[in-house]
Amino acid sequence: MFAKTLIEASGLTKSYGSRTVVDGVDLEIREGEVLAIIGPNGAGKSTTLDLVLQLRRPDAGRVRYWTQEPARHIGLQLQSTPFFPGFTALENLRMFAAFYGLRLPDSELMRHLSRCGLEEAARTDALRLSGGQQKRLAIAMALVHGPKLIVLDEPTAALDPRARRDIRELIRSLADSGASIVFTSHDMEEVHKLAGRLMLISGGRVRASGTPEELLDRYQVDSLEELYIRLTDADTQAT
Ligand SMILES: Nc1ncnc2c1ncn2[C@@H]1O[C@H](COP(=O)(O)OP(=O)(O)OP(=O)(O)O)[C@@H](O)[C@H]1O
């Protein structure tokens, strides 16, 4: 049985000046899947996500959503999150929930913070949290309205190993509870552990996509790291 498509993007293209940073990307996000987007620094992953989520306007291409109100049903953790200055983590989360029309009691907000490992930091000014704690708060914000689709841009980058493990477990439990998840990562072991499907973007183009096993088999490599090196090497040599 085929899973329903939540988002279907085709021919996405974006240039800055004479540089095309996203070059005809087709992308499909399916219900209930965990999709990893991988690729070198500057490959166009974040820009692609922004185009898919209508945070930036493409020069060409189109995006179709499963719902009339995508913003209400999508939770986003981008690489930088603007927090309300002078407010604690708990207050920031409360205000963020209010954007979605949710008035959540503190007990519920604390539950969200605690599943992101932030119970101790709830009363700390958000801007005084460590980099890793700010990342966890950004993830808590992405989840506060119970979205059907969760988009996480490098959710484990700059986290210590325990925090990384906790966030991976959180991603897994969200997936187990039926959420669809798209994440980017540079950690191939993590991608192999979490993703049901992956897409490799390099030079603004999709170079490969499929399940980890399909790709290992197709390219006759033993690990996703090897696959990554192989495909991004070929790209570097070709350009
Ligand atoms: N607003 C902008 N103006 C000019 N160039 C931009 C802009 N936004 C992105 N770029 C360029 O587009 C390219 C792709 O950037 P993007 O952030 O999508 O890469 P990425 O694959 O997410 O990289 P990373 O893994 O380092 O996060 C980069 O070279 C970047 O400098």
Side-chain angles (χ1 to χ4, degrees):
M1 205 185 82
F2 292 105
K4 178 168 126 189
T5 297
L6 296 183
I7 299 184
E8 190 171 15
S10 56
L12 290 179
T13 301
K14 181 80 181 171
S15 300
Y16 290 106
S18 60
R19 263 193 77 218
T20 302
V21 300
V22 175
D23 193 0
V25 166
D26 298 334
L27 181 151
E28 186 191 10
I29 301 170
R30 300 173 194 152
E31 187 169 40
E33 76 169 339
V34 179
L35 170 67
I37 301 184
I38 62 172
N41 291 129
K45 303 179 297 297
S46 299
T47 310
T48 298
L49 285 181
D50 283 359
L51 297 176
V52 166
L53 299 165
Q54 292 186 316
L55 300 173
R56 290 190 233 187
R57 193 188 288 273
D59 299 330
R62 55 175 300 175
V63 185
R64 253 188 269 203
Y65 299 96
W66 82 104
T67 165
Q68 303 281 344
E69 291 186 291
R72 180 164 285 279
H73 301 288
I74 300 177
L76 280 182
Q77 170 256 315
L78 299 175
Q79 286 196 26
S80 64
T81 302
F83 299 121
F84 297 101
F87 291 93
T88 66
L90 181 70
E91 288 164 341
N92 264 275
L93 191 62
R94 184 188 296 129
M95 288 187 276
F96 207 75
F99 282 139
Y100 293 103
L102 297 172
R103 282 171 59 103
L104 300 181
D106 280 6
S107 55
E108 178 83 358
L109 293 169
M110 282 304 294
R111 196 179 61 76
H112 281 287
L113 289 176
S114 127
R115 78 172 168 171
C116 292
L118 279 175
E119 55 277 66
E120 308 274 293
R123 313 271 169 200
T124 304
D125 187 320
L127 294 180
R128 293 195 186 281
L129 295 172
S130 74
Q133 288 173 325
Q134 290 194 1
K135 172 89 68 157
R136 292 161 183 247
L137 179 55
I139 295 173
M141 286 172 155
L143 304 180
V144 75
H145 56 302
K148 185 176 179 66
L149 171 63
I150 300 159
V151 178
L152 306 167
D153 199 356
E154 298 196 27
T156 61
L159 295 184
D160 65 59
R162 183 183 300 275
R164 226 178 294 150
R165 191 197 59 188
D166 291 349
I167 295 299
R168 278 183 203 142
E169 280 173 6
L170 176 62
I171 292 175
R172 209 169 285 125
S173 81
L174 291 164
D176 288 345
S177 66
S180 310
I181 298 167
V182 179
F183 74 104
T184 67
S185 176
H186 291 293
D187 180 335
M188 292 305 111
E189 210 177 306
E190 168 172 297
V191 167
H192 205 158
K193 279 185 191 149
L194 288 177
R197 196 160 68 88
L198 65 93
M199 239 175 98
L200 188 143
I201 294 185
S202 183
R205 294 189 182 170
V206 178
R207 305 294 171 172
S209 75
T211 67
E213 277 60 40
E214 276 166 4
L215 293 175
L216 296 181
D217 189 50
R218 191 182 311 157
Y219 291 93
Q220 292 292 299
V221 286
D222 294 327
S223 69
L224 291 184
E225 188 168 80
E226 224 181 308
L227 175 85
Y228 176 98
I229 301 289
R230 163 96 66 92
L231 292 183
T232 52
D233 249 12
D235 189 40
T236 312
Q237 283 158 20
T239 51

